[in-house]
Amino acid sequence: MTTIGLEEEFMLLDPRTLAPVGRAAEVIEAVRMTVHAPFVTSEFYASQLEYASPILSTSEDASRALGSFRVALAEIAARLGVVAAGVGLPFDVTDDARLTPGARYLDIADHFGAIVADHQLNGLHVHVGVPDREAAIRASNRLRPWLPALLALSGNSPFWHGRDTGFASWRCIHIRRWTTSGIPPYFRDADDYDARATRLLGVGGTTDIGTLNWAARPSAKYPTVEVRVFDAQLDATTSIPLALLTRGVIASPSVDDEPALAQELLDAALWHAARYGMSAGLVDPASGSMRPAAEVVRRLLQVAKPGLEAHGDHERVAAFVDRTIADGTGADRQRRAYARGGRDGLGELLANP
C-alpha cells in the first residue's frame, strides 16, 4: 500500500479583526501538553503553526490523526482567545507581523525583501510515498497536467487586507513571486532533476533545495513526492480527500511519455485555476482546451480511479468531488459566510468549520 503524510498549516487570528496574532509558541506549548503531537512546529511567522501527520496508510488512519489534532487545536485556541484557522491567507493583516526567530527564516527574509511582508501563506502539503527518487520524478511528471485541477478543488484564500481579491487562491498568486514556483518542469530522470536543481542554487532566493517552491517536487528529506499546490483547508474532511486523490493519481498506471501540454500553457492554467477555482472552465490535459471545471475534475477522478480503488478510497473521493462541484470550495464557503454575517460570520466559520 502506498503511504501518505499530510502537513497542515494554520494561522492564529484575532477573533474580532481576523488578523494574525503572534502567539504560535504559546499555542504549540499548550498543544504538546494536551495531545501526543510531536510533529507540531512553528512556521515562518510567529502567528503560524504546522501539524505533520504520522505516516498514514488508510483514509481511516488519516481521519483519526487529523481529526483528533484539529479538535484539540480548536479547543486550545478558543481557551486562549484566538482562532486557529485553516486558510490559505488571513482575512486581514497587520503591519507588525513578527517572524519566528531562527537563522533560516532570517536568511529567507533577507533574500526576498519586500515580498516577505506578504508571505503570510498557509498550505496543505501532501507527501506520497515512493520507492526511490526515480519514482518521485515520474510521480511529479504524472501530476504536472493535473495540478491546476487540484488547485481548483482546493482554493481557500479569497480575502486579503480585508477585501475580496476575486481569486479563489490569492495565495497561489503570492507564491508566483518566488524565484521558482508553479508547475515544475518536466524532468527526464533523477539525474536531470539534480543537475538542473543544483544550477538554481544561489540564483535569486534559491538558497538550498528546500527553497525550490514548485507545486510538486521530490522531498529533500523523505522518500516521497511532496505536492504543495493546495491552500490550507478549512477542515480535515477536505484535506484528506485531496491527499487521497493525489495518491490515486500517482498510484494509477500511466505511460511516462513526454508531456503533451507545453510549460507555458500549464503555467497559465494554474493562474486560471487560482483565479476562478471551480466557478469557470479549466484547461483539459487531454486536449489543451478549456472545458467546464466539473468535467475536468471528473476526468481527473477517472484517471485516479485505479489507484483510488486499490486503496479503497474511490467512494470517499468521488463523494468529495461531487460535493465540491455542488457546494463550492473553501473560498466559496468563506465568501458565503462573509456575505451573510460580515467579519463575525466569517469568524464563526473559521472557528467552527
Side-chain angles (χ1 to χ4, degrees):
M1 178 172 284
T2 303
T3 59
I4 55 172
L6 291 83
E7 296 170 349
E8 291 202 290
E9 294 173 343
F10 300 88
M11 181 152 276
L12 303 177
L13 305 177
D14 180 295
R16 182 180 60 85
T17 65
L18 302 185
V21 289
R23 297 178 63 186
E26 181 182 356
V27 172
I28 290 169
E29 181 180 4
V31 167
R32 289 174 175 170
M33 292 175 62
T34 305
V35 296
H36 178 66
F39 303 117
V40 180
T41 59
S42 58
E43 253 297 332
F44 191 70
Y45 273 97
S47 55
Q48 295 174 290
L49 61 90
E50 179 183 85
Y51 166 69
S53 78
I55 297 172
L56 305 166
S57 296
T58 69
S59 62
E60 291 79 11
D61 293 339
S63 294
R64 282 191 293 270
L66 273 65
S68 61
F69 173 76
R70 278 179 173 257
V71 167
L73 177 61
E75 291 175 350
I76 289 165
R79 188 171 74 240
L80 295 176
V82 297
V83 173
V87 287
L89 288 170
F91 175 80
D92 210 345
V93 294
T94 58
D95 295 330
D96 60 349
R98 292 182 289 110
L99 295 183
T100 298
R104 176 173 169 76
Y105 292 149
L106 291 174
D107 186 51
I108 290 173
D110 181 61
H111 277 85
F112 282 93
I115 293 174
V116 170
D118 290 344
H119 196 67
Q120 301 185 50
L121 316 178
N122 308 286
L124 162 67
H125 300 167
V126 174
H127 288 260
V128 180
V130 290
D132 52 44
R133 294 186 74 255
E134 295 294 346
I137 297 300
R138 290 194 297 271
S140 174
N141 289 339
R142 170 75 159 152
L143 284 167
R144 289 176 71 252
W146 295 110
L147 289 169
L150 290 169
L151 174 63
L153 285 167
S154 68
N156 189 35
S157 51
F159 297 111
W160 184 240
H161 284 283
R163 298 191 179 108
D164 193 326
T165 64
F167 281 73
S169 177
W170 191 238
R171 167 185 168 272
C172 178
I173 303 306
H174 277 308
I175 290 174
R176 291 172 79 93
R177 295 184 294 177
W178 279 58
T179 311
T180 56
S181 67
I183 305 293
Y186 179 89
F187 297 104
R188 294 188 306 275
D189 51 31
D191 287 342
D192 184 35
Y193 176 87
D194 289 341
R196 292 163 68 181
T198 299
R199 283 196 292 270
L200 285 165
L201 299 181
V203 179
T206 310
T207 56
D208 54 44
I209 294 296
T211 50
L212 292 172
N213 207 29
W214 289 311
R217 67 186 188 188
S219 172
K221 297 180 180 179
Y222 308 110
T224 66
V225 60
E226 181 182 7
V227 185
R228 304 161 57 85
V229 74
F230 309 110
D231 285 357
Q233 297 299 300
L234 292 172
D235 51 57
T237 59
T238 306
S239 295
I240 294 168
L242 289 169
L244 300 177
L245 180 57
T246 304
R247 176 170 69 176
V249 174
I250 292 171
S252 294
S254 65
V255 178
D256 193 24
D257 292 328
E258 290 289 331
L261 301 185
Q263 181 78 21
E264 65 271 17
L265 179 57
L266 288 176
D267 190 57
L270 192 70
W271 191 101
H272 188 92
R275 172 66 175 86
Y276 297 105
M278 291 293 295
S279 67
L282 290 170
V283 173
D284 178 6
S287 65
S289 61
M290 297 297 298
R291 302 296 303 165
E295 179 182 320
V296 175
V297 298
R298 286 200 168 106
R299 180 166 293 164
L300 167 61
L301 181 65
Q302 189 65 29
V303 166
K305 187 175 182 179
L308 290 168
E309 289 184 334
H311 293 87
D313 296 332
H314 185 263
E315 183 176 346
R316 179 172 184 173
V317 175
F320 160 73
V321 168
D322 288 343
R323 184 173 71 247
T324 305
I325 290 170
D327 298 335
T329 63
D332 298 314
R333 292 171 62 191
Q334 287 195 57
R335 286 187 170 115
R336 290 197 296 264
Y338 186 71
R340 287 193 303 266
R343 290 195 190 211
D344 290 345
L346 179 58
E348 178 67 21
L349 172 68
L350 299 182
N352 303 282

